Amino acid sequence: MTSRVVKCTDVAGLLVAVLFSLCVAASTLAQGKPAGAGPPSNNNPNVGDRIRQIDEGRLRGAETNVSLEAENQKRLQAAIVNMKDDYKRIQVLRNDIARSLVARKPLEYKLVAEQMAEINKRASRLNVYMQARVPEEQKLSTADELKNEEMVGALVKLCKLIDSFTENPALKNAATVNSKDVAKSKEDKANADRDLLAIIKLSAGIQKRSVSLIGSP
């Protein structure tokens, strides 16, 4: 396996694009009455009270909308921070695994299990926002139990999947897509979805097998 340290690139563009599709802004602030549009003259004294109640209700509604918008922005920023952290940490773990494989060190199954658990957790959390989907005909088949001699090959495959996912143009150029690139962007997003789901599935399989091999020579 070729040794290569993956650079943890900035994915703010992707994160904003993904999260804005999930975090719907609060409803538009209630509009005030148009100039010159006042209540018709009426001798009923209750009309004035009713108008004041309506105006007060509108003001309270506007204040609520402003509060909801501020809360949405806080959640958006928190989600962006979490996603960037997950994205970068997955690459750091990938680099650690690759260095061990290149050095041909004996596999430490306890460490591998811990690494796989973290990769799986972070990839799954990324998918909460990305909502990865693959066409039915491309559904990932259930893999057989990994054998001991397959562990190195499985780890190499996982590293390559992480490379493909993190280098995907859909993640890097989400904020700069123009109308001419829509078809290509959809294809890139489909590839990113496929890679992310494969990372989740393979890391879970490697973790399960590693746990069963802890203590083995």
Side-chain angles (χ1 to χ4, degrees):
M1 177 179 178
T2 303
S3 175
R4 184 171 72 85
V5 176
V6 177
K7 181 181 179 182
C8 299
T9 54
D10 186 6
V11 291
L14 166 74
L15 306 180
V16 172
V18 170
L19 291 171
F20 269 120
S21 68
L22 301 174
C23 301
V24 179
S27 57
T28 307
L29 297 181
Q31 298 295 320
K33 293 179 293 183
S41 59
N42 194 311
N43 293 327
N44 187 343
N46 292 329
V47 172
D49 291 339
R50 180 57 180 158
I51 292 172
R52 281 193 294 274
Q53 290 173 1
I54 292 173
D55 287 342
E56 290 172 359
R58 285 174 175 170
L59 287 173
R60 285 194 296 270
E63 290 172 355
T64 299
N65 286 335
V66 170
S67 177
L68 288 173
E69 178 65 19
E71 184 63 26
N72 280 345
Q73 288 299 318
K74 287 181 181 179
R75 290 177 180 175
L76 174 64
Q77 293 304 317
I80 288 175
V81 170
N82 289 336
M83 288 183 71
K84 291 176 72 174
D85 180 61
D86 290 337
Y87 180 90
K88 292 179 179 180
R89 180 60 182 161
I90 285 173
Q91 292 178 82
V92 170
L93 290 165
R94 177 265 178 212
N95 291 339
D96 290 343
I97 294 166
R99 278 191 286 265
S100 294
L101 292 174
V102 170
R104 299 184 181 277
K105 295 180 179 179
L107 293 178
E108 298 179 32
Y109 296 116
K110 184 175 185 297
L111 174 60
V112 172
E114 292 171 352
Q115 291 170 326
M116 294 303 106
E118 185 173 359
I119 288 175
N120 186 270
K121 178 185 74 174
R122 291 179 180 273
S124 298
R125 193 159 57 188
L126 279 174
N127 195 35
V128 170
Y129 301 102
M130 289 188 63
Q131 293 293 295
R133 297 286 186 273
V134 294
E136 190 64 34
E137 63 271 16
Q138 296 181 18
K139 290 289 185 182
L140 301 171
S141 60
T142 303
D144 295 330
E145 292 290 332
L146 290 171
K147 298 178 181 178
N148 188 17
E149 60 269 21
E150 295 175 336
M151 287 291 287
V152 171
L155 288 169
V156 170
K157 181 178 180 180
L158 181 65
C159 289
K160 291 181 178 179
L161 281 170
I162 293 173
D163 288 346
S164 178
F165 174 71
T166 56
E167 293 298 318
N168 191 299
L171 276 68
K172 292 185 172 183
N173 305 326
T176 59
V177 174
N178 59 51
S179 59
K180 295 181 180 179
D181 298 328
V182 171
K184 180 63 166 61
S185 297
K186 288 182 178 179
E187 180 183 351
D188 290 338
K189 174 58 166 63
N191 290 335
D193 286 355
R194 183 196 62 220
D195 288 341
L196 182 59
L197 292 176
I199 289 168
I200 293 171
K201 186 176 184 63
L202 184 56
S203 60
I206 298 174
Q207 180 194 7
K208 182 179 179 180
R209 182 56 179 161
S210 297
V211 169
S212 71
L213 290 171
I214 292 175
S216 300

